[in-house]
Amino acid sequence: MSIHNVLVIGGGGNLGPSVLRALESHSFTATVLSRSSSKSTFPPSVRVVRIDDAYPHAALVSAFRGQDAVISTISGHSLSTQTKFIDAALEAGVPRFVPAEFGGDTLDDALVEGNPLFQGKRDVLDYLTKSEAKLGWTAIASGPFFDWCLAVGFFKIDVKGRKAMVLDGGEATFPTTNLDTVGVAVARALKREDTRNKYLYVRDFMVSPNQIIAEFERQTGEKFEVERMESKPYTEEAQAELKKGNMGALYNLIFAQSMAGSPNWKDKKGFANDLLELPKADFEATIKNAIEASK
């Protein structure tokens, strides 16, 4: 069936605005479901439904009725809440659900093991697939959000300070995608019936930390001071801190797993760049934007 009405949960976060822009540019009618306590603001063209922070079931069902698809872009610490969304979507008769899968490949057992964020995503996906005969789903893995990671320092590259830290020499390549490309991937996946009950892989770049640093150096005309560390002790320290309850170490663990390198997703069955006709992103322009933002 054709999808027209789309509800986005968490539209004010890191990914939400890119998804909303893509939905609008692809002629969907978008609604945002926002927590009552949220201070996020949205474009006038977007209908906003406020809901109690506890996401009561009856209120979710009411918000979901008449929607052809529900997209979850909630943050990592709220992933388990998605089972509530799935139950409500089933009761409301929503045809398609897009979980907050965006990021690493959570079908990869090695990536999931010992990582509570990826395990949480896997648990939600397992819960969702049990009802796929009634509630279709589309999951999208994108690797780290490239432009966002550069902006917040997730890649351990201090653009303003001209410093960086790399693991194991920094030569391993990994898939990564700009936020706007992820938004377009979501919108175009909803345009197609053959993406129903599919796990899709998209990426803008297959790149190494050394390549990223080299481009920063080329554009700034300055050498970066690079600290080199081994991934094994770095990962072990992050895992030990997690066991102590220090959830801040989770991002160090994800960084280490990402920088360890990944297979080229182009070889995966669900690689969907061509299927979704995704635009080709500009690596040099993204780096330039990061430099400008750091000033």
Side-chain angles (χ1 to χ4, degrees), residues 224-290:
F224 277 48
E225 179 184 335
V226 181
E227 178 186 5
R228 302 187 182 277
M229 297 182 66
E230 297 298 317
S231 63
K232 188 173 186 295
Y234 186 90
T235 301
E236 289 174 347
E237 181 180 353
Q239 291 173 329
E241 287 298 310
L242 274 175
K243 288 179 180 178
K244 294 177 186 177
N246 177 11
M247 295 308 294
L250 177 60
Y251 293 97
N252 287 339
L253 177 60
I254 297 172
F255 164 74
Q257 290 177 317
S258 299
M259 297 306 105
S262 301
N264 192 334
W265 284 357
K266 209 168 186 179
D267 301 326
K268 285 185 174 287
K269 183 179 179 181
F271 185 69
N273 276 47
D274 292 339
L275 176 72
L276 302 178
E277 298 180 344
L278 296 182
K280 185 172 176 58
D282 189 326
F283 178 72
E284 293 181 4
T286 306
I287 296 293
K288 182 180 179 180
N289 290 339

Side-chain angles (χ1 to χ4, degrees), residues 51-213:
I51 190 170
D52 184 87
D53 285 23
Y55 293 112
H57 178 75
L60 284 171
V61 172
S62 176
F64 289 178
R65 288 202 189 279
Q67 298 296 329
D68 302 315
V70 170
I71 303 168
S72 174
T73 65
I74 61 170
S75 61
H77 68 271
S78 303
L79 288 174
S80 61
T81 309
Q82 292 182 105
T83 57
K84 289 185 176 183
F85 304 157
I86 293 166
D87 290 343
L90 280 164
E91 184 171 331
V94 175
R96 188 85 67 96
F97 188 89
V98 179
E101 182 65 23
F102 319 104
D105 177 10
T106 59
L107 298 185
D108 183 343
D109 292 337
L111 202 62
V112 170
E113 186 178 359
N115 187 315
L117 177 70
F118 292 151
Q119 183 62 62
K121 291 186 176 186
R122 170 78 72 82
D123 292 343
V124 169
L125 192 61
D126 289 345
Y127 189 83
L128 182 58
T129 56
K130 291 176 182 176
S131 303
E132 65 182 20
K134 293 183 178 179
L135 174 60
W137 58 272
T138 303
I140 298 177
S142 61
F145 301 144
F146 188 61
D147 47 356
W148 179 84
C149 287
L150 292 176
V152 302
F154 177 82
F155 290 145
K156 310 299 182 186
I157 299 175
D158 177 1
V159 182
K160 189 172 184 178
R162 306 299 196 249
K163 297 179 181 180
M165 188 270 279
V166 300
L167 299 176
D168 299 336
E171 291 291 342
T173 59
F174 61 95
T176 180
T177 313
N178 285 339
L179 287 166
D180 280 351
T181 302
V182 179
V184 171
V186 172
R188 294 188 179 177
L190 294 180
K191 288 284 187 182
R192 305 180 62 98
E193 184 61 25
D194 57 359
T195 59
R196 176 185 168 91
N197 298 342
K198 295 288 178 63
Y199 195 100
L200 306 178
Y201 298 86
V202 301
R203 64 163 171 78
D204 279 330
F205 315 113
M206 194 74 187
V207 67
S208 72
N210 286 349
Q211 289 170 332
I212 298 172
I213 295 168

